[in-house]
Amino acid sequence: MPEPQGEQYVKRGSELANGLAACGFCHGLTPDPQAVLSGGRHLEDLYGEVYAPNITPSQSGVGDWSSQDLVRAIRLSVGPEDVRLSPKFHKGMEWLADEDVYSIVAYLRTVTPVDSDVTRRELSTIDRYTVGILDSAKEVEGYVPALDPKNQKAYGQYLTNHIARCSTCHNSPGTLLTTESYLAGGQEFEANGEVRLVPNITGSETFGIGSWDEEEIVHYLRTGRVPGNRVVDPAFCPVGFYKNAKESDLLAIAHYLRTVNQ
Ligand code: HEC
Ligand code: HEC
């Protein structure tokens, strides 16, 4: 598909980046949608620690990257000249629809450039091609079409798995030998120097959120409030971004989640 240009793509890109895709949750100076995308959040993957880089269009950011470079970094976690980035944090985005990934790129070009050098991790070639190989995304060939939002379950699945990627945090922790269990919880997630266990959000009544109805899920995604009114801190689960998403998108996610059982 030729690179789409124009206001409607910038608008869609902004809705995604500051909404369900929550780019600033990691790339923001602080994990909220108003923060500049100059990077710095401390994260951990199977290689150890890594910092989210500056993705504003500046010299120390991605100012001189081509659109193809950006698309590959977003979808595949591969930088220019095939530098392999952490395979963990963008997982799922390899199947972003072309229209959506180009919209995000169009939006990134419009944010204010900020100069900020973020510490980069150097992985040895051996680490890159052994440890990470099982976890790296396959190159997507051809055009990935957008789904019709009218098909609520399929669209909800797309938003959950390829835009919001709840699985990044909510899957059970996998190891080199065991696969992750979908949305079953159990990983540790760190924010503000504090570590919390990520909960199970499958339809299991006992372990998950099987007793919540669709409205309660939507209410949670908008406010961070769980039934009974406990509030989840938006530095841990990106609800500060999700509240910017369209009501119909949140409903589609809730509808799809109700079909995930375990
Ligand atoms: C869960 C955290 C997280 C989210 C959400 C996230 N990223 Fe990233 N991103 C990272 C990390 C960490 C790296 C760098 C990994 C490394 O250095 O190995 C990265 C790398 C990048 C790079 C490559 C930049 C460079 O200098 O190497 C780009 C571009 C990028 N992300 C764009 C995005 C966009 C756009 C979004 C939203 C659609 C997004 N990211 C969402 C964590 C995240
Ligand atoms: C960056 C990691 C991350 C992502 C992405 C994420 N979450 Fe969370 N989520 C968490 C953490 C951590 C908690 C627990 C926070 C706490 O204990 O205060 C949580 C809590 C929750 C809860 C509360 C469950 C309960 O029983 O208390 C729900 C529901 C939830 N998340 C749903 C989602 C959905 C749906 C998505 C995707 C649209 C999502 N989360 C994406 C990290 C994440």
Side-chain angles (χ1 to χ4, degrees):
M1 152 174 181
E3 186 176 344
Q5 310 277 354
E7 267 310 302
Q8 81 269 32
Y9 291 100
V10 175
K11 186 162 169 281
R12 168 86 179 153
S14 164
E15 273 169 23
L16 292 172
N18 298 310
L20 290 172
C23 310
F25 187 73
C26 299
H27 291 283
L29 195 58
T30 53
D32 69 74
Q34 278 74 46
V36 290
L37 298 172
S38 57
R41 183 166 185 151
H42 169 261
L43 295 158
E44 280 189 18
D45 65 2
L46 71 177
Y47 300 108
E49 0 186 69
V50 62
Y51 291 90
N54 177 351
I55 56 166
T56 69
S58 64
Q59 268 285 287
S60 50
V62 294
D64 52 13
W65 291 35
S66 70
S67 297
Q68 276 319 314
D69 290 340
L70 288 167
V71 168
R72 290 188 83 217
I74 295 169
R75 272 194 177 147
L76 304 170
S77 299
V78 172
E81 286 156 28
D82 283 347
V83 171
R84 286 167 53 109
L85 305 166
S86 170
K88 174 168 176 161
F89 303 102
H90 291 185
K91 216 175 183 181
M93 290 206 279
E94 56 275 24
W95 291 107
L96 277 177
D98 283 27
E99 200 179 311
D100 288 342
V101 76
Y102 280 111
S103 296
I104 291 170
V105 167
Y107 167 69
L108 280 186
R109 303 256 191 238
T110 68
V111 306
T112 314
V114 177
D115 264 308
S116 167
D117 279 311
V118 173
T119 311
R120 298 309 296 257
R121 177 173 66 183
E122 292 292 332
L123 291 177
S124 75
T125 316
I126 295 174
D127 276 349
R128 267 186 206 136
Y129 288 96
T130 51
V131 185
I133 201 82
L134 293 173
D135 224 4
S136 55
K138 299 257 184 317
E139 185 93 48
V140 176
E141 285 167 16
Y143 172 68
V144 183
L147 290 176
D148 185 350
K150 285 200 209 92
N151 187 345
Q152 200 188 27
K153 184 178 163 200
Y155 194 62
Q157 180 169 23
Y158 170 71
L159 295 175
T160 305
N161 292 342
H162 305 297
I163 303 262
R165 302 166 304 105
C166 319
S167 47
T168 316
C169 304
H170 283 279
N171 275 4
S172 69
T175 65
L176 275 181
L177 299 173
T178 57
T179 47
E180 300 173 0
S181 191
Y182 186 58
L183 302 184
Q187 289 187 49
E188 290 184 336
F189 190 79
E190 189 223 297
N192 309 329
E194 199 191 319
V195 176
R196 298 215 181 139
L197 212 56
V198 189
N200 180 322
I201 57 164
T202 65
S204 160
E205 295 260 354
T206 326
F207 304 109
I209 55 168
S211 60
W212 302 22
D213 63 23
E214 290 183 17
E215 246 172 60
E216 286 170 321
I217 300 178
V218 170
H219 185 67
Y220 170 78
L221 294 172
R222 277 227 174 293
T223 62
R225 284 179 189 279
V226 308
N229 257 357
R230 182 167 56 84
V231 186
V232 165
D233 180 339
F236 286 88
C237 188
V239 287
F241 289 81
Y242 300 160
K243 72 166 184 246
N244 296 331
K246 284 193 209 126
E247 182 81 13
S248 56
D249 284 1
L250 297 180
L251 257 171
I253 291 179
H255 183 70
Y256 163 69
L257 280 181
R258 287 273 49 89
T259 69
V260 178
N261 285 305
Q262 199 133 38

